Amino acid sequence: YIFIFFFFNDTATTEIYTLSLHDALPISVHWDGSKWELKKITYKGSTWPIQTIFAFNGNDIWFSAFVRYNGNKFIELPIPDVLIGWKVNKIWGTSSNDLYIVGNGGNIARYNGTSWQKIESGTTTNLNDIWGYYDRFNNNLSVMTVASNILQHGETRLLAVSGNTAKDTLNWPYSNWLNGIWFKGKYSPIYICGSGIKEYKQGEWKQLNLPNYFTRNIRGSDVNDVVAVGDFGFITHFNGVNWHSENLSNNYVFSSVAIKNNTVAIAGLSTSGIVVSSAILIIGKR
């Protein structure tokens, strides 16, 4: 795996970067606005599989649930029993004192700054993504996760996380695979990606009329600035009125996207047939 994290500034450029894959994995790739820096990630002296990254700021970045980066070094965290035996797929939180992780087997856990607590999901289906929004004015927290075993038959569920449980919500009507979710607040549309992109708005779900690529991740900076990425170099952007889509290369598989202010960052892989040849990193600047 290769993970990227960014300190956004005005010197970022719009370019595509390729990095050759090698045996010294996993690594993180840090972009400071002018150059890349590779940082090898270990836990107790050994490399270990990491699936996700979440940054609160440049001095507080989580790699899965076991390693934090404080701006200068990686800090190894103890692994409690509640996190043993399953793969963490995604992280979301309001701070390092209140964050959630989801993973395979329907596993959800919440961290309060000192300890982890398991949340019952009511499913053994893989949870592929989690997103939330904290309304500071009304002191209201909304957190949702999507359940789906990609490329397998089985249940597909949209779950709202509340307290110690996660429950079905919003009358999810589809059987398509779910791989990502994004929304911003109580009055924002909710976007689900995977087998197509679906939107929940004004109490109804609808399938968006977009190219039929498998879509792996969706994120936004606001309701009029949303980006989704997926297989075959698929990128689509919503400006509040229209969706604009591009297919950069049939050899690209984009698995992650982040957007902040006028900068978007996309990570993925370049393939040749079924063989992965290199990592693809894209920084776009408006």
Side-chain angles (χ1 to χ4, degrees), residues 213-271:
Y213 297 112
F214 186 79
T215 312
R216 296 181 178 271
N217 197 217
I218 187 165
R219 293 293 185 259
S221 65
D222 212 328
V223 295
N224 61 351
D225 194 17
V226 183
V227 179
V229 298
D231 293 359
F232 301 101
F234 178 62
I235 302 174
T236 187
H237 175 254
F238 181 61
N239 63 6
V241 178
N242 300 307
W243 290 86
H244 176 76
S245 302
E246 296 285 349
N247 171 224
L248 294 190
S249 169
N250 288 341
N251 293 329
Y252 291 172
V253 176
F254 295 137
S255 58
S256 184
V257 60
I259 184 169
K260 181 179 180 181
N261 300 328
N262 291 321
T263 305
V264 62
I266 299 170
L269 298 171
S270 178
T271 63

Side-chain angles (χ1 to χ4, degrees), residues 71-124:
N72 296 308
K73 63 180 181 179
F74 293 95
I75 302 171
E76 298 176 4
L77 304 175
I79 304 176
D81 291 342
V82 71
L83 302 186
I84 293 176
W86 55 281
K87 182 180 71 172
V88 177
N89 289 330
K90 283 294 188 295
I91 306 171
W92 180 86
T94 59
S95 73
S96 284
N97 295 319
D98 187 17
L99 61 85
Y100 297 80
I101 58 174
V102 296
N104 285 4
N107 282 285
I108 309 175
R110 184 179 187 179
Y111 184 66
N112 63 10
T114 57
S115 63
W116 288 94
Q117 180 184 19
K118 182 178 176 60
I119 295 175
E120 296 298 332
S121 69
T123 183
T124 58

Side-chain angles (χ1 to χ4, degrees), residues 11 35 43 122 135 137 141 165 183 198 229:
T11 64
K35 66 181 184 301
Y43 189 87
D135 184 343
F137 182 78
L141 179 67
T165 61
F183 60 96
K198 299 172 177 64
V229 298

